[in-house]
Amino acid sequence: MNEQKEVHLARGIVAGIVGGLVASWVMNEFMENLGPQLQKAVEKGDSAAKPQQPQDGDKPDDATMKTADAVVSTLTGGRHLSHEEKEKGGPIVHYAFGALMGAVYGAVAEEMPVATTGFGTAFGAALFTGADLVAVPALNLSQSSGDAPVSSLATPFAAHLVYGAATEAVRRLVRALL
């Protein structure tokens, strides 16, 4: 690989990392502020959807919290995180994964511009499919989505589309500055 091509790829990776980090934050904001309203609207039209029951006390561990615990347990020879530590570790996992996926996207976008199809939404949809529908259940970090009503997937799917579009917007901006 020639030096100019390496610099080109490195710039794409850097732009993708920045895009992935910003998009992870945007995705969190979407899930917190618009997600509940979207889910209510979707469930209103789906008679098979079961309303989510409020949890007493602590919320159950999500996939990022379980991942944080697994990483610490692996690195420390078996020490597990408390619930409070998992609540701190979960966002670290979320942002690290968002940055990593942004880096991959940035690299691929440099080599194959078709990857930016739909202004990043195709990337967001692929990430939702690969991570949420396949990898997370396969790693026993959540229940299989096949057990849940399809309507329960609307909000996470929309959040990944938002992530993809935000990654692309920031990637383009940073790439233009580099």
Side-chain angles (χ1 to χ4, degrees), residues 16-110:
I17 289 170
V18 175
L21 286 170
V22 171
S24 294
W25 177 80
V26 170
M27 182 180 184
N28 282 347
E29 291 297 307
F30 174 85
M31 289 294 289
E32 186 175 314
N33 296 307
L34 297 175
Q37 293 132 339
L38 174 61
Q39 195 60 43
K40 283 180 189 173
V42 169
E43 287 175 355
K44 190 180 278 189
D46 182 4
S47 59
K50 296 176 187 170
Q52 295 178 348
Q53 299 298 321
Q55 298 288 325
D56 291 331
D58 291 332
K59 292 182 356 184
D61 295 350
D62 65 20
T64 62
M65 294 165 73
K66 291 176 183 177
T67 302
D69 184 55
V71 168
V72 168
S73 178
T74 299
L75 294 176
T76 63
R79 178 190 174 278
H80 288 279
L81 298 175
S82 68
H83 186 76
E84 293 77 25
E85 290 170 324
K86 289 180 198 175
E87 286 180 332
K88 292 176 184 173
I92 293 169
V93 168
H94 177 72
Y95 282 97
F97 187 72
L100 176 63
M101 292 300 98
V104 170
Y105 178 70
V108 172
E110 288 291 324

Side-chain angles (χ1 to χ4, degrees), residues 34 62 120 143 148 152 168 172:
L34 297 175
D62 65 20
Q143 295 179 346
S152 69
E168 176 59 11
R172 284 187 188 190

